[in-house]
Amino acid sequence: MRPAYALARVSAALSLRSQDLIDLGRTQILRLHEKGGVERDIPAHPKLVEYIDAWTAASGLKGSAFLFSAFERRGTVASSRQMTRIDALRMVKRRLGRVGIPDVISNHSFRAKGITEFLANGGSLETAQQLANHADSRTTKLYDRRTTQLELEEIVRIRY
């Protein structure tokens, strides 16, 4: 799953079960299990629904199984327990290493990317704050990477 489509915390994405994608007919809802035991429902992005449907079909997950279960025996056998944040971070770092990308990207990078893309495509800070489940808009602003993108766009104007 791409947490960036839900602006979800990594822990909320990892706690998803197959039953947390709720089909309401014309739309789907994603039930996130946030920190502090809080459950909240957000509309599921159509691409995210595609990814979850493909994953559940390929993996054979049913009912109350975690979408992202931990593995036993060096990644060969899925367990019934959920993947931890540390497990997910290790997985991201391994994948980055395999394709030769520096491991500066972390699980949190996907959340920042989602918030940045939402804002860059005309979304409001208030809505981003609500989607990210931040109590304060200043926290949401910390995830906004548009100024970094702008600096790079400007610096490449230097040509010789």
Side-chain angles (χ1 to χ4, degrees), residues 116-140:
T116 300
E117 288 301 312
F118 177 80
L119 294 170
N121 288 308
S124 71
L125 180 64
E126 293 78 20
T127 304
Q129 175 187 349
Q130 184 180 8
L131 287 170
N133 201 25
H134 288 149
D136 192 321
S137 64
R138 291 176 292 189
T139 305
T140 310

Side-chain angles (χ1 to χ4, degrees), residues 93-105:
K93 298 294 184 183
R94 277 194 311 270
R95 302 293 188 287
L96 290 171
R98 285 183 191 155
V99 295
I101 297 174
D103 69 353
V104 295
I105 294 174

Side-chain angles (χ1 to χ4, degrees), residues 50-84:
E50 277 182 46
Y51 289 138
I52 291 174
D53 286 346
W55 173 245
T56 55
S59 63
L61 292 173
K62 305 246 185 308
S64 64
F66 287 107
L67 286 180
F68 308 103
S69 60
F71 284 87
E72 305 294 342
R73 291 196 237 150
R74 299 193 152 261
T76 57
V77 178
S79 75
S80 61
R81 62 184 179 84
Q82 88 180 58
M83 183 183 289
T84 67

